Amino acid sequence: MSTKTLLIVAHAPSPNTQKLVQAAYDGANHPDIDINVVLKSPQDTQPEDVLAADALLLGTTENLAYMAGLTKDFFDRCYYPVLEKKQGMPFAVYIRAGHDGTGTKRALKTIITGLRWSWVQEALILQGDWQDSFAEQVEELAMTLAAGVEAGIY
């Protein structure tokens, strides 16, 4: 059986969001998990990257009560090329939200429902002022997703 691939698509415009991306990458690359982890920014992610993935972890900031523009651009470019081919793909998201993150979560639920991807857990919303525990939560999310994909649970 070939090694499964987890694609992490993460928008990281600040040092703190870069810490979250590193935490996601580290969690997915846990030494006990045998999975191929591909990390890309939204602007560098192409439909082929999504088609080659067995699961996707998305990281975005909340901008004006919506997902980051580059995250939206990723979906604009990749939605139709992957729509019929990736139904049921395991999906998780973390949202770095200065406010409450509900607008971003609602928009993502609409898109992911349209794609027919499978949420593996509720959206992780990291809201308010920066806390170091945010990175730990993202690392745990990525590790859980990667382990589930490797084990064939998702």
Side-chain angles (χ1 to χ4, degrees):
M1 191 165 83
S2 63
T3 303
K4 303 238 174 120
T5 298
L6 171 61
L7 175 61
I8 301 173
V9 178
H11 179 57
S14 70
N16 282 341
T17 51
Q18 289 167 13
K19 288 178 190 172
L20 298 178
V21 172
Q22 188 62 52
Y25 188 78
D26 292 347
N29 273 305
H30 188 280
D32 293 340
I33 303 171
D34 181 21
I35 192 166
N36 180 35
V37 180
V38 176
L39 174 61
K40 296 215 165 211
S41 64
Q43 63 268 35
D44 291 336
T45 306
Q46 301 301 320
E48 298 76 31
D49 299 311
V50 179
L51 291 170
D54 295 292
L56 192 144
L57 174 61
L58 180 72
T60 188
T61 53
E62 173 191 63
N63 294 2
L64 305 171
Y66 196 71
M67 72 187 84
L70 289 171
T71 304
K72 174 69 169 60
D73 175 70
F74 155 70
F75 282 116
D76 288 344
R77 289 180 295 102
C78 295
Y79 189 95
Y80 288 106
V82 308
L83 178 60
E84 297 300 323
K85 298 178 179 134
K86 295 308 288 186
Q87 293 179 17
M89 181 164 71
F91 173 82
V93 63
Y94 66 87
I95 301 165
R96 176 62 188 112
H99 297 292
D100 65 5
T102 55
T104 305
K105 177 180 159 184
R106 188 178 321 106
L108 286 168
K109 281 212 179 272
T110 300
I111 292 168
I112 300 310
T113 298
L115 286 165
R116 296 183 205 90
W117 291 357
S118 299
W119 289 80
V120 297
Q121 75 173 52
E122 194 58 34
L124 174 60
I125 300 176
L126 310 164
Q127 64 188 90
D129 293 335
W130 173 260
Q131 300 171 42
D132 290 334
S133 65
F134 289 168
E136 295 164 23
Q137 292 174 60
V138 169
E139 184 172 0
E140 185 177 314
L141 173 65
M143 191 183 319
T144 301
L145 178 57
V149 169
E150 180 201 27
I153 294 169
Y154 306 127

PDB file of all heavy atoms in Angstrom, residues 11-34:
ATOM      1  N   HIS A  11      -2.374  29.849   5.100  1.00  0.00           N
ATOM      2  CA  HIS A  11      -2.105  31.267   4.906  1.00  0.00           C
ATOM      3  C   HIS A  11      -1.445  31.776   6.185  1.00  0.00           C
ATOM      4  O   HIS A  11      -2.031  31.670   7.265  1.00  0.00           O
ATOM      5  CB  HIS A  11      -3.418  32.012   4.632  1.00  0.00           C
ATOM      6  CG  HIS A  11      -3.243  33.484   4.443  1.00  0.00           C
ATOM      7  ND1 HIS A  11      -2.410  34.007   3.483  1.00  0.00           N
ATOM      8  CD2 HIS A  11      -3.799  34.540   5.092  1.00  0.00           C
ATOM      9  CE1 HIS A  11      -2.463  35.334   3.538  1.00  0.00           C
ATOM     10  NE2 HIS A  11      -3.301  35.672   4.506  1.00  0.00           N
ATOM     11  N   ALA A  12      -0.235  32.308   6.063  1.00  0.00           N
ATOM     12  CA  ALA A  12       0.531  32.701   7.243  1.00  0.00           C
ATOM     13  C   ALA A  12       1.185  34.068   7.036  1.00  0.00           C
ATOM     14  O   ALA A  12       2.380  34.162   6.775  1.00  0.00           O
ATOM     15  CB  ALA A  12       1.581  31.641   7.557  1.00  0.00           C
ATOM     16  N   PRO A  13       0.398  35.147   7.157  1.00  0.00           N
ATOM     17  CA  PRO A  13       0.933  36.480   6.888  1.00  0.00           C
ATOM     18  C   PRO A  13       1.708  37.125   8.040  1.00  0.00           C
ATOM     19  O   PRO A  13       2.246  38.216   7.878  1.00  0.00           O
ATOM     20  CB  PRO A  13      -0.331  37.291   6.582  1.00  0.00           C
ATOM     21  CG  PRO A  13      -1.389  36.638   7.414  1.00  0.00           C
ATOM     22  CD  PRO A  13      -1.039  35.172   7.405  1.00  0.00           C
ATOM     23  N   SER A  14       1.789  36.458   9.183  1.00  0.00           N
ATOM     24  CA  SER A  14       2.445  37.067  10.351  1.00  0.00           C
ATOM     25  C   SER A  14       3.344  36.041  11.041  1.00  0.00           C
ATOM     26  O   SER A  14       3.204  34.833  10.822  1.00  0.00           O
ATOM     27  CB  SER A  14       1.389  37.555  11.342  1.00  0.00           C
ATOM     28  OG  SER A  14       0.742  36.444  11.937  1.00  0.00           O
ATOM     29  N   PRO A  15       4.252  36.510  11.898  1.00  0.00           N
ATOM     30  CA  PRO A  15       5.078  35.553  12.651  1.00  0.00           C
ATOM     31  C   PRO A  15       4.249  34.562  13.468  1.00  0.00           C
ATOM     32  O   PRO A  15       4.586  33.381  13.536  1.00  0.00           O
ATOM     33  CB  PRO A  15       5.928  36.454  13.557  1.00  0.00           C
ATOM     34  CG  PRO A  15       6.029  37.747  12.805  1.00  0.00           C
ATOM     35  CD  PRO A  15       4.694  37.899  12.113  1.00  0.00           C
ATOM     36  N   ASN A  16       3.146  35.008  14.069  1.00  0.00           N
ATOM     37  CA  ASN A  16       2.323  34.086  14.861  1.00  0.00           C
ATOM     38  C   ASN A  16       1.642  33.045  13.984  1.00  0.00           C
ATOM     39  O   ASN A  16       1.581  31.866  14.342  1.00  0.00           O
ATOM     40  CB  ASN A  16       1.288  34.850  15.691  1.00  0.00           C
ATOM     41  CG  ASN A  16       1.903  35.464  16.934  1.00  0.00           C
ATOM     42  OD1 ASN A  16       2.975  35.063  17.379  1.00  0.00           O
ATOM     43  ND2 ASN A  16       1.229  36.449  17.485  1.00  0.00           N
ATOM     44  N   THR A  17       1.116  33.445  12.828  1.00  0.00           N
ATOM     45  CA  THR A  17       0.477  32.450  11.963  1.00  0.00           C
ATOM     46  C   THR A  17       1.524  31.528  11.346  1.00  0.00           C
ATOM     47  O   THR A  17       1.228  30.374  11.059  1.00  0.00           O
ATOM     48  CB  THR A  17      -0.400  33.107  10.875  1.00  0.00           C
ATOM     49  OG1 THR A  17       0.355  34.102  10.185  1.00  0.00           O
ATOM     50  CG2 THR A  17      -1.655  33.721  11.475  1.00  0.00           C
ATOM     51  N   GLN A  18       2.750  32.002  11.194  1.00  0.00           N
ATOM     52  CA  GLN A  18       3.831  31.110  10.749  1.00  0.00           C
ATOM     53  C   GLN A  18       4.127  30.053  11.814  1.00  0.00           C
ATOM     54  O   GLN A  18       4.448  28.906  11.481  1.00  0.00           O
ATOM     55  CB  GLN A  18       5.078  31.925  10.398  1.00  0.00           C
ATOM     56  CG  GLN A  18       4.901  32.722   9.120  1.00  0.00           C
ATOM     57  CD  GLN A  18       5.972  33.779   8.896  1.00  0.00           C
ATOM     58  OE1 GLN A  18       6.996  33.784   9.560  1.00  0.00           O
ATOM     59  NE2 GLN A  18       5.716  34.676   7.959  1.00  0.00           N
ATOM     60  N   LYS A  19       4.002  30.429  13.098  1.00  0.00           N
ATOM     61  CA  LYS A  19       4.157  29.435  14.181  1.00  0.00           C
ATOM     62  C   LYS A  19       3.082  28.357  14.068  1.00  0.00           C
ATOM     63  O   LYS A  19       3.343  27.176  14.325  1.00  0.00           O
ATOM     64  CB  LYS A  19       4.049  30.113  15.554  1.00  0.00           C
ATOM     65  CG  LYS A  19       5.227  30.970  15.917  1.00  0.00           C
ATOM     66  CD  LYS A  19       4.986  31.627  17.271  1.00  0.00           C
ATOM     67  CE  LYS A  19       6.026  32.685  17.555  1.00  0.00           C
ATOM     68  NZ  LYS A  19       5.722  33.457  18.767  1.00  0.00           N
ATOM     69  N   LEU A  20       1.860  28.754  13.678  1.00  0.00           N
ATOM     70  CA  LEU A  20       0.777  27.784  13.528  1.00  0.00           C
ATOM     71  C   LEU A  20       1.063  26.826  12.375  1.00  0.00           C
ATOM     72  O   LEU A  20       0.818  25.620  12.488  1.00  0.00           O
ATOM     73  CB  LEU A  20      -0.558  28.501  13.309  1.00  0.00           C
ATOM     74  CG  LEU A  20      -1.038  29.406  14.434  1.00  0.00           C
ATOM     75  CD1 LEU A  20      -2.348  30.081  14.045  1.00  0.00           C
ATOM     76  CD2 LEU A  20      -1.179  28.636  15.739  1.00  0.00           C
ATOM     77  N   VAL A  21       1.584  27.345  11.288  1.00  0.00           N
ATOM     78  CA  VAL A  21       1.932  26.503  10.144  1.00  0.00           C
ATOM     79  C   VAL A  21       3.012  25.495  10.547  1.00  0.00           C
ATOM     80  O   VAL A  21       2.910  24.310  10.235  1.00  0.00           O
ATOM     81  CB  VAL A  21       2.418  27.352   8.943  1.00  0.00           C
ATOM     82  CG1 VAL A  21       2.952  26.466   7.833  1.00  0.00           C
ATOM     83  CG2 VAL A  21       1.296  28.222   8.424  1.00  0.00           C
ATOM     84  N   GLN A  22       4.014  25.958  11.259  1.00  0.00           N
ATOM     85  CA  GLN A  22       5.079  25.053  11.704  1.00  0.00           C
ATOM     86  C   GLN A  22       4.522  23.992  12.641  1.00  0.00           C
ATOM     87  O   GLN A  22       4.891  22.816  12.553  1.00  0.00           O
ATOM     88  CB  GLN A  22       6.204  25.838  12.399  1.00  0.00           C
ATOM     89  CG  GLN A  22       7.423  24.997  12.704  1.00  0.00           C
ATOM     90  CD  GLN A  22       8.084  24.427  11.456  1.00  0.00           C
ATOM     91  OE1 GLN A  22       8.385  25.163  10.524  1.00  0.00           O
ATOM     92  NE2 GLN A  22       8.306  23.111  11.428  1.00  0.00           N
ATOM     93  N   ALA A  23       3.603  24.387  13.511  1.00  0.00           N
ATOM     94  CA  ALA A  23       2.980  23.428  14.436  1.00  0.00           C
ATOM     95  C   ALA A  23       2.178  22.382  13.667  1.00  0.00           C
ATOM     96  O   ALA A  23       2.226  21.185  13.993  1.00  0.00           O
ATOM     97  CB  ALA A  23       2.081  24.163  15.430  1.00  0.00           C
ATOM     98  N   ALA A  24       1.452  22.814  12.638  1.00  0.00           N
ATOM     99  CA  ALA A  24       0.686  21.871  11.813  1.00  0.00           C
ATOM    100  C   ALA A  24       1.626  20.892  11.128  1.00  0.00           C
ATOM    101  O   ALA A  24       1.388  19.680  11.121  1.00  0.00           O
ATOM    102  CB  ALA A  24      -0.153  22.622  10.781  1.00  0.00           C
ATOM    103  N   TYR A  25       2.694  21.412  10.563  1.00  0.00           N
ATOM    104  CA  TYR A  25       3.665  20.572   9.856  1.00  0.00           C
ATOM    105  C   TYR A  25       4.318  19.579  10.825  1.00  0.00           C
ATOM    106  O   TYR A  25       4.431  18.392  10.527  1.00  0.00           O
ATOM    107  CB  TYR A  25       4.714  21.457   9.182  1.00  0.00           C
ATOM    108  CG  TYR A  25       5.648  20.693   8.282  1.00  0.00           C
ATOM    109  CD1 TYR A  25       5.242  20.290   7.015  1.00  0.00           C
ATOM    110  CD2 TYR A  25       6.934  20.366   8.699  1.00  0.00           C
ATOM    111  CE1 TYR A  25       6.087  19.584   6.175  1.00  0.00           C
ATOM    112  CE2 TYR A  25       7.791  19.659   7.878  1.00  0.00           C
ATOM    113  CZ  TYR A  25       7.363  19.273   6.616  1.00  0.00           C
ATOM    114  OH  TYR A  25       8.210  18.562   5.802  1.00  0.00           O
ATOM    115  N   ASP A  26       4.707  20.063  12.001  1.00  0.00           N
ATOM    116  CA  ASP A  26       5.335  19.192  12.998  1.00  0.00           C
ATOM    117  C   ASP A  26       4.370  18.113  13.479  1.00  0.00           C
ATOM    118  O   ASP A  26       4.751  16.951  13.632  1.00  0.00           O
ATOM    119  CB  ASP A  26       5.831  20.012  14.194  1.00  0.00           C
ATOM    120  CG  ASP A  26       7.002  20.924  13.842  1.00  0.00           C
ATOM    121  OD1 ASP A  26       7.610  20.753  12.751  1.00  0.00           O
ATOM    122  OD2 ASP A  26       7.296  21.822  14.651  1.00  0.00           O
ATOM    123  N   GLY A  27       3.122  18.483  13.715  1.00  0.00           N
ATOM    124  CA  GLY A  27       2.138  17.508  14.178  1.00  0.00           C
ATOM    125  C   GLY A  27       1.887  16.423  13.151  1.00  0.00           C
ATOM    126  O   GLY A  27       1.835  15.230  13.473  1.00  0.00           O
ATOM    127  N   ALA A  28       1.751  16.812  11.900  1.00  0.00           N
ATOM    128  CA  ALA A  28       1.496  15.838  10.831  1.00  0.00           C
ATOM    129  C   ALA A  28       2.709  14.951  10.584  1.00  0.00           C
ATOM    130  O   ALA A  28       2.572  13.814  10.137  1.00  0.00           O
ATOM    131  CB  ALA A  28       1.103  16.563   9.548  1.00  0.00           C
ATOM    132  N   ASN A  29       3.889  15.477  10.877  1.00  0.00           N
ATOM    133  CA  ASN A  29       5.135  14.720  10.681  1.00  0.00           C
ATOM    134  C   ASN A  29       5.600  14.012  11.949  1.00  0.00           C
ATOM    135  O   ASN A  29       6.782  13.712  12.089  1.00  0.00           O
ATOM    136  CB  ASN A  29       6.247  15.662  10.191  1.00  0.00           C
ATOM    137  CG  ASN A  29       6.246  15.793   8.692  1.00  0.00           C
ATOM    138  OD1 ASN A  29       6.317  14.801   7.992  1.00  0.00           O
ATOM    139  ND2 ASN A  29       6.141  17.011   8.213  1.00  0.00           N
ATOM    140  N   HIS A  30       4.677  13.740  12.849  1.00  0.00           N
ATOM    141  CA  HIS A  30       5.042  13.023  14.084  1.00  0.00           C
ATOM    142  C   HIS A  30       5.797  11.748  13.709  1.00  0.00           C
ATOM    143  O   HIS A  30       5.418  11.057  12.756  1.00  0.00           O
ATOM    144  CB  HIS A  30       3.774  12.690  14.874  1.00  0.00           C
ATOM    145  CG  HIS A  30       4.049  12.126  16.211  1.00  0.00           C
ATOM    146  ND1 HIS A  30       4.383  10.805  16.398  1.00  0.00           N
ATOM    147  CD2 HIS A  30       4.061  12.706  17.439  1.00  0.00           C
ATOM    148  CE1 HIS A  30       4.586  10.590  17.687  1.00  0.00           C
ATOM    149  NE2 HIS A  30       4.386  11.725  18.334  1.00  0.00           N
ATOM    150  N   PRO A  31       6.865  11.427  14.441  1.00  0.00           N
ATOM    151  CA  PRO A  31       7.689  10.266  14.065  1.00  0.00           C
ATOM    152  C   PRO A  31       6.950   8.925  14.049  1.00  0.00           C
ATOM    153  O   PRO A  31       7.371   8.006  13.357  1.00  0.00           O
ATOM    154  CB  PRO A  31       8.814  10.253  15.114  1.00  0.00           C
ATOM    155  CG  PRO A  31       8.519  11.321  16.085  1.00  0.00           C
ATOM    156  CD  PRO A  31       7.415  12.171  15.559  1.00  0.00           C
ATOM    157  N   ASP A  32       5.839   8.816  14.767  1.00  0.00           N
ATOM    158  CA  ASP A  32       5.078   7.562  14.791  1.00  0.00           C
ATOM    159  C   ASP A  32       4.078   7.453  13.646  1.00  0.00           C
ATOM    160  O   ASP A  32       3.378   6.448  13.537  1.00  0.00           O
ATOM    161  CB  ASP A  32       4.339   7.409  16.120  1.00  0.00           C
ATOM    162  CG  ASP A  32       5.288   7.210  17.294  1.00  0.00           C
ATOM    163  OD1 ASP A  32       6.447   6.807  17.053  1.00  0.00           O
ATOM    164  OD2 ASP A  32       4.877   7.475  18.429  1.00  0.00           O
ATOM    165  N   ILE A  33       3.975   8.501  12.826  1.00  0.00           N
ATOM    166  CA  ILE A  33       3.001   8.519  11.738  1.00  0.00           C
ATOM    167  C   ILE A  33       3.734   8.459  10.409  1.00  0.00           C
ATOM    168  O   ILE A  33       4.596   9.282  10.133  1.00  0.00           O
ATOM    169  CB  ILE A  33       2.118   9.779  11.813  1.00  0.00           C
ATOM    170  CG1 ILE A  33       1.409   9.864  13.163  1.00  0.00           C
ATOM    171  CG2 ILE A  33       1.100   9.786  10.668  1.00  0.00           C
ATOM    172  CD1 ILE A  33       0.696  11.183  13.413  1.00  0.00           C
ATOM    173  N   ASP A  34       3.385   7.465   9.598  1.00  0.00           N
ATOM    174  CA  ASP A  34       4.022   7.292   8.293  1.00  0.00           C
ATOM    175  C   ASP A  34       3.102   7.859   7.221  1.00  0.00           C
ATOM    176  O   ASP A  34       2.219   7.173   6.711  1.00  0.00           O
ATOM    177  CB  ASP A  34       4.311   5.810   8.033  1.00  0.00           C
ATOM    178  CG  ASP A  34       4.997   5.594   6.693  1.00  0.00           C
ATOM    179  OD1 ASP A  34       5.604   6.551   6.163  1.00  0.00           O
ATOM    180  OD2 ASP A  34       4.920   4.466   6.168  1.00  0.00           O
TER     181      ASP A  34
END
